[in-house]
Amino acid sequence: MDILYLMIICSVSLAVIFLIIFIIGAKNGQFEDDESPAVRMLFDSEIQKEKDQEKKQPEDEIEEDEKIDKK
């Protein structure tokens, strides 16, 4: 029976700790911005495309330089 009281005290204490952490997070504004992570996912592909284009540009310039050298 003593272990039951110990388990109840531990579980209530843990619940109170999680509640306090949640309240601190809510006061600091951690849960304010719900939309930008979802929108940021949509813009990642555009950033990746820009990086890919930057990588391709030097290759294109090298090919153009080779064409000029051949002429």
Side-chain angles (χ1 to χ4, degrees):
M1 192 70 173
D2 290 336
I3 191 72
L4 187 60
Y5 295 134
L6 179 65
M7 291 177 68
I8 290 172
I9 291 171
C10 288
S11 62
V12 170
S13 300
L14 189 62
V16 169
I17 290 170
F18 282 127
L19 180 64
I20 291 170
I21 291 171
F22 174 76
I23 291 171
I24 290 170
K27 284 185 179 180
N28 290 336
Q30 184 170 352
F31 306 111
E32 292 293 320
D33 192 15
D34 292 336
E35 192 167 325
S36 72
V39 175
R40 191 179 316 131
M41 179 182 72
L42 300 174
F43 294 120
D44 283 345
S45 62
E46 291 178 7
I47 294 171
Q48 185 65 31
K49 287 179 185 177
E50 290 174 1
K51 288 181 182 177
D52 290 342
Q53 288 176 354
E54 289 175 2
K55 289 180 182 177
K56 289 181 181 179
Q57 285 176 352
E59 293 173 0
D60 294 338
E61 291 173 2
I62 292 171
E63 291 175 2
E64 290 175 3
D65 290 339
E66 289 176 358
K67 289 179 184 177
I68 293 172
D69 291 338
K70 288 180 182 179
K71 290 181 181 180

